[in-house]
Amino acid sequence: MATRTSRTPRRTEALSRERIVEAAVALLDADGESGLTFRTLTERLATGPGAIYWHVANKGELLAAATDSVIADVLAIEHDKTAETPQDEIRTIALGLFDAIAEHPWLFAQLAVQLSSSPWGSVTPRIFESFGQRVAALGVPEATWFTATSALMHYVFGAAGQNAANVRALEPGVDRAEFLHAAARAWEGLDPGEYPFMKSIADQVREHDDREQFLTGVDLILAGITAPKRA
């Protein structure tokens, strides 16, 4: 009888929910939601499905836990010593979400699912609370807290999601700077009678920075939130 030489790698660490979620995030980053199955997870963790089901009941719970893990890191801003005002903290959280959604292409879809569900999942209320506490600290009237915080969240999610979609839309090997230069040249070639504004900002398209542009939008919303209201 032939000797069996190929064996499943033995785990050297105790399996935990944290390790399972960490592995799930890595699989999602690599292959998207379709790439995350309990089979691929067991292979990555060198364990059996029963050990995973002990910690996570199903794929939906696993996706929620992965989303929660990424967002928890974004909301943990206590370490940021430069965030001295509510505005600074809002910018830090907003930019953290922007970067996280760009880094984890699957994340925006999971946040969108929670936003469209009733009640919201476990993550979006924490984001709303994190923004809301700081909106309240800006000294704006309490009657505007919900509207102001909602506007801020909608902008952050919308802009971050669109940026992530733009990044994914680039064909493999396409340089972003080259893409922007091509877009600017196309705008410069538009009919000046029909598109005078777009021609005038072509250079801004060529040179803009996505993160700086995003933060400018956050600042505009903060300016509107804190502007004196007319009687």
Side-chain angles (χ1 to χ4, degrees):
M1 181 180 293
T3 301
R4 185 177 178 182
T5 58
S6 176
R7 296 184 178 181
T8 301
R10 178 175 295 182
R11 293 200 317 271
T12 58
E13 301 176 51
L15 189 64
S16 64
R17 183 179 174 89
E18 289 72 20
R19 282 193 64 219
I20 293 171
V21 171
E22 181 181 348
V25 170
L27 287 170
L28 286 164
D29 288 347
D31 300 308
E33 185 177 339
S34 63
L36 176 62
T37 66
F38 275 74
R39 179 177 179 179
T40 57
L41 196 56
T42 57
E43 292 174 351
R44 189 176 188 92
L45 292 169
T47 189
I52 294 177
Y53 281 117
W54 177 262
H55 295 280
V56 183
N58 51 52
K59 184 173 179 177
E61 182 180 332
L62 187 56
L63 285 167
T67 303
D68 183 88
S69 175
V70 173
I71 295 301
D73 289 339
V74 173
L75 298 184
I77 66 168
E78 292 80 6
H79 63 281
D80 186 357
K81 303 304 182 182
T82 64
E84 299 178 351
T85 67
Q87 288 94 332
D88 291 334
E89 292 181 350
I90 287 171
R91 293 187 190 97
T92 298
I93 296 169
L95 192 58
L97 288 168
F98 181 87
D99 289 340
I101 290 172
E103 182 180 352
H104 305 283
W106 52 273
L107 182 61
F108 180 71
Q110 293 305 312
L111 291 172
V113 167
Q114 291 203 15
L115 281 172
S116 63
S117 65
S118 181
W120 289 352
S122 62
V123 174
T124 45
R126 295 214 311 274
I127 299 174
F128 200 93
E129 178 70 22
S130 190
F131 276 135
Q133 287 185 15
R134 290 159 177 88
V135 167
L138 292 173
V140 300
E142 184 174 351
T144 68
W145 286 357
F146 172 73
T147 301
T149 305
S150 296
L152 181 60
M153 270 193 63
H154 285 309
Y155 168 74
V156 169
F157 281 7
Q162 184 61 56
N163 175 73
N166 291 342
V167 171
R168 292 194 298 274
L170 289 179
E171 296 180 3
V174 174
D175 180 77
R176 178 184 177 277
E178 293 178 359
F179 175 82
L180 290 178
H181 278 275
R185 287 193 298 271
W187 286 27
E188 289 169 343
L190 293 171
D191 182 342
E194 191 172 0
Y195 299 101
F197 176 76
M198 292 182 67
K199 284 179 65 68
S200 70
I201 62 171
D203 280 341
Q204 296 177 35
V205 173
R206 181 181 288 109
E207 304 298 336
H208 89 279
D209 178 272
D210 293 330
R211 296 170 90 248
E212 289 298 326
Q213 182 185 40
F214 171 74
L215 285 177
T216 296
V218 172
D219 288 341
L220 287 172
I221 291 177
L222 291 176
I225 289 174
T226 56
K229 302 299 184 288
R230 295 180 179 179

